[in-house]
Every structure is written in structure tokens, then in C-alpha cells.
Amino acid sequence: MRTPPSIRCRSNRCRCDRWRHWRRGCWCAGTRCRTIANCGQGSRAVEFDTVIHGGTIVTASERYAGDIGITDGRICAVAERLAGGTRRIDAGGRLVMPGGIEAHAHIAQESASGIMTADGYLSGSISAAFGGNSSFIPFAAQHRGQSIDDVIATYDARARPSVIDYSWHLIVSDPTEEVLHDQLPRAFARGITSLKVFTTYDLLNIGDAGMLDILSVARDHGALTMVHAENHAMVAWMNGELGARGLTAPKYHALSRPELAEEEAINRAITLAQLSGAPLFVVHVSTAGGAARVQRARGEGGQVFAETCPQYLALTRDDLDRPGMEGAKFICSPPLRDAATQDALWRHVQTGTFDSVSSDHAPYRFDGTGKLMHGQGAPYPKIANGMPGIAARLPWLFSEGVVKGRLRLEDFVALTSTNAARIFGAAKKGRITPGMDADIAIWNPEAVRKVTLADQHDNMDFTPFEGMELTGVPEIVMTRGEVIVAHGTLHGKEGQGRFFARAPMGRTGRPGMPVKEVELMRAGAGQ
Ligand code: URP
Ligand code: ZN
Ligand code: ZN
């Protein structure tokens, strides 16, 4: 073992002339020297790489005035005041929060019909960082016939340029025996402990039987199944009815995917999860009925999680009725709803039904590479689903949630970072406490800005949030102690982000939603 060097104590606070071990603090500790901090790496305030001082630290549970000491990319001290630091960042008048974790983003991903998103991992991660995110978990999508090992190898290569840390949720569209019993367990063992399934889209919908298979395998390995829930047959039927009437302009997309279709599919997904005894995460909930079903399942003891997205709170189906093809920019699935649904969704955000608010960043440009691939005037079923929003998510939620008095600051942190870290097993992220990665965003809570396309720093040619006036700006964003963005300037370097493995879900302390017949079956089999 290497013996740590002894160095002369040069702490701001300690004036002693003693020598100390590099990792053990000053030998006079407890008498004259007060530089001992709770740093696992060492204990000399003067040797922090970075100290963020003078700000208000906000976590998912509290806020307080304090300083943060960072060494080797980790938070190693949080105290009322910390001296030293090779670099000192003045956070006076600012909020110091865990950097956002974007848990729903489509980056360098082909849609089922083969359209590539406009953002790869370089532009996608830069845009995320400008929006206050220190890490993200986009999707790694399996297309039918593809092995999960190939999917992971593909995204390994695609993600290399990322400037922030990343992990992936798998998308599984082809649950063969090999996928279920060989390939998925290998992916889980690598720390990719969540996967998403679809109940809709011709090339992704896996059906009830496929979903039960996946839920069971995920349960056995402590992985979390996420679901895009819309009833495929109901949507297909509505498409037929609308098409027969010649109603194919973008605004009819909203009618083609009724609230009922989401509510039915969420109910079904929760019921299938109940039968298989697996946890479930319902993505982009857009309806009051769907949110209420999630709430009910939790009340019954289910390990059911859910998110909604800013677009369902900020925009309505009227946006799909903008002149010409402009409405195509607002086509996403599930679709935008109405003002009454927005109010109901806000109540669910406020009362804890939603664990997170994610962007569902699905960037398809308003040109022939994306939304208009099938030409100007294409019928709505031929227009790519999805909208960008990875840079707007946090500023929008801060402004509309915290500044407008709908959310506490602590709720904002929980909804944008801490809950995602907990649910998806990112053990070193989403909290400001010693030992965690120094993934930190420093916000100016009073700065006012109008949303512009340029400020999104993505590879898009529109933002659905254009022109909205928002209060609160993430001024400095760090990933593992490195400043990625500061005051509107990119400092992060291509490839600086790292893959982070995630832990499986803990199941202890959960009552679950037992199913009589399943219990009897297990008892009969002596399980
Ligand atoms: O419309 C959306 N949200 N497109 C992205 C893919 C998905 O369904 O999540
Ligand atoms: Zn989806
Ligand atoms: Zn999505």
C-alpha cells in the first residue's frame, strides 16, 4: 500500500506548524486545528478541489445555508462554512441543488418507423446541461429481431460523446425466450436495471402476454418495467373513423388517442403488474383518470411509480390547431389534452402521485428529416410523434411550479432529481450529501428569461416552449465536480460523461398487491 505523504498544514483556519498525513488531517486535530471534515477522501479543507460557498442548499427534504466541499468529483463535506478549495464558487443569493436527472429522453434513437432523432449524445447532453441536468437516462431501443447485446453495443458507441453522465433504460419490442432468459439478465447484471415496453405502435406493441413475460423476468432480477400505456386497438379504431371522414389534419391527432385509451391501458398495465407481482413505472401520464388509477394502486400497496411531462401541463390540444402544418410540431403521444386535464394533473403533481416530471425529449425537426418526412400536408398518422424539451423541463417547472407557488423548492428537487435517482437505482446521484457524485446545479431564482430556440442548445429547429417568460435560470451545472455549463457558456468536453451502472430495486417493506389465486398457486407448489 502506498504511504500517503506528509504535508505541512496550511489550512486557513489552522495556524499550527505541524505536519500531517495527507489523508488523515492535521495531527493537532481537536486542539488548535478545526480542519477535520467528514470527508472520506481526506480531511483538509484546504485541499478541496472546489468549494461552493454562501448559497442556499436545497435537497428533497430541506433547505439551509451551507457550503459544499468537493474532491475527486465527489461531495466530501457539507458544512455551515468551509475554508479552502483550489477553486471557490460564490453561490451568494443562489440556490444550490442536485443537478437534474432527465429520466425520459430519446437520444440518437430511431423511431419504430426508422426516423432518427435530431439529437445525438453530444447535442442532447449539451442541451440537457444548459437546462440544469447533470445526468440523464435515455432509451436504448431494441427493434424486432435485434439482440439486446447488439442494442447495448450500439448505444455504447452512440453515447461516447456525451458531456454528462448517462445510463439507459432498454426498450424491449421482441421478448423472445433468448431475450427474456439470457440477454435481459445480462443487461441487468451490467447495471441497466430498467426497461420500457409499449402497449401501442404497430412495431413496438408487445401485447398482454409479452408484457407478463417481461414483468416476471424483471421482477425476478429486481429490474423496473416502464410502460407507455395507450390502448392500441382503440387508437387504430379512431384512426379508421377519422380517416373515413377525411379528418387527417394535425389537430385530429389529439382526437385519435382518446383519454379513455390511456386510462384503459394504464389500468391494464397495473393489473398485469399486480398479477406478476412486479413493480411498474408509468411514463408520460397525460390524463386525470390514468393518474387516479396510479394513485389507487399505491393506496392498495402497489409498487407503482409514475411521471408526467411539462407539455401536458403547459400546452393543450389547441396548439395542434395552429395554422397550416404548425400543429405538427405539437404531435406527441399520448397527445396534448385540455385545460381541465392540466388542472387535474397539477393536483397530482402537488399531491405526490407523480414521482417525477420528465421531458420525454423526442426531437424530430420540422423538416424532411423529421416531422415532414412524408411531405407538407401529410396526414397526422404519418407525422413523427414527439417534441423536444430537455433544456426547458427544469426552467419551466421551476417557474410554473416554484415561482408560481404550486410547489415547494424541496418538491422541485424531488421531482427533477432525487426521486429518479432512488427509483432507478442511481446510488451516487440526486442528493447533496458526502459520498455522492458532485452533480450540482446552481440556480439564480430571480433571473427572468424568454424561451428561445438558441437557448435550448439542441439540434432542433423549433421549441414548443418558444416565447414563454420564465423565472429562474440554472447558471452553473456540474457533473462529478466538473463545471459543464457556466453563465451561458459550455465548459464541458465531448466524451467527458460516463456510463453509470444502476442498482436493482429493493422490495423490502412493500406490502404489494397480492392476488389470491397466485398465492394459492405458490402455496400449492411449496414456494
Ligand atoms: O410522442 C412521443 N412521446 N414520442 C416519443 C416516443 C414515446 O412514445 O415515448
Ligand atoms: Zn412513450
Ligand atoms: Zn418517450
Side-chain angles (χ1 to χ4, degrees), residues 104 106 109 111 139 171 196 198 200-201 204 228 230 253 283-284 311-312 331-334 360-362 364 371 384-387:
H104 189 150
H106 302 271
Q109 186 195 323
S111 70
F139 294 96
I171 287 175
K196 185 169 77 157
F198 287 77
T200 186
Y201 298 133
L204 294 173
H228 171 137
E230 289 181 287
H253 171 78
V283 301
H284 51 44
Q311 51 270 37
Y312 299 115
I331 286 186
C332 61
S333 292
D360 193 5
H361 183 73
Y364 299 109
K371 293 279 182 187
N385 280 220
M387 58 174 74

